[in-house]
């Protein structure tokens, strides 16, 4: 088991998620970045590798209970622990009051 704390950050490929992931990495956390967007996660991982602590990318849908179990199991298998969970993933639409 590694001694670094471990954070799972959902919505990791978006603006806020990426900032959170990099901020936690700068504090010495290993980060499990989670997003439904595989391209965004790959970009985050590419930017990550030369500079920060350990990173693992997990692409999946948080509405799928099987994915949630896989995410927790894989994170614990990789690092032996989970210290922080940031649920930053969100789905929203921009609509006017007339279309609601």
């Amino acid at each position: 088991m590694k001694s670094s704390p471990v954070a799972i950050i959902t919505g990791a490929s978006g603006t806020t998620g990426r900032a959170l992931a990099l901020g936690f990495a700068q504090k010495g956390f290993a980060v499990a970045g989670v997003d439904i967007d595989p391209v965004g996660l790959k970009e985050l991982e590419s930017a990550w590798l030369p500079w920060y602590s350990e990173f693992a990318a997990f692409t999946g849908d948080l509405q799928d209970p099987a994915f949630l179990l896989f995410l927790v199991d894989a994170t614990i298998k990789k690092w032996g622990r989970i210290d922080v969970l940031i649920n930053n993933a969100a789905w929203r639409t921009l609509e006017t009051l007339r279309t609601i």
Side-chain angles (χ1 to χ4, degrees), residues 6-10 24 32 34 71-72 82-88:
V6 177
I8 295 176
I9 300 176
T10 68
F24 272 83
V34 184
L71 172 63
V72 170
I82 298 169
D83 299 290
V84 175
L85 168 63
I86 298 178
N87 187 17
N88 174 63

Side-chain angles (χ1 to χ4, degrees), residues 34-88:
V34 184
D35 209 291
I36 201 165
D37 173 18
V39 174
L41 274 180
K42 190 67 175 167
E43 289 171 359
L44 175 59
E45 189 172 24
S46 295
W48 189 282
L49 292 176
W51 304 106
Y52 299 114
S53 62
E54 292 190 66
F55 179 79
F58 295 98
T59 303
D61 188 344
L62 296 173
Q63 295 182 76
D64 178 3
F67 175 69
L68 296 175
L69 291 173
F70 165 75
L71 172 63
V72 170
D73 289 344
T75 302
I76 291 173
K77 184 177 180 180
K78 183 168 182 67
W79 290 303
R81 61 196 281 179
I82 298 169
D83 299 290
V84 175
L85 168 63
I86 298 178
N87 187 17
N88 174 63

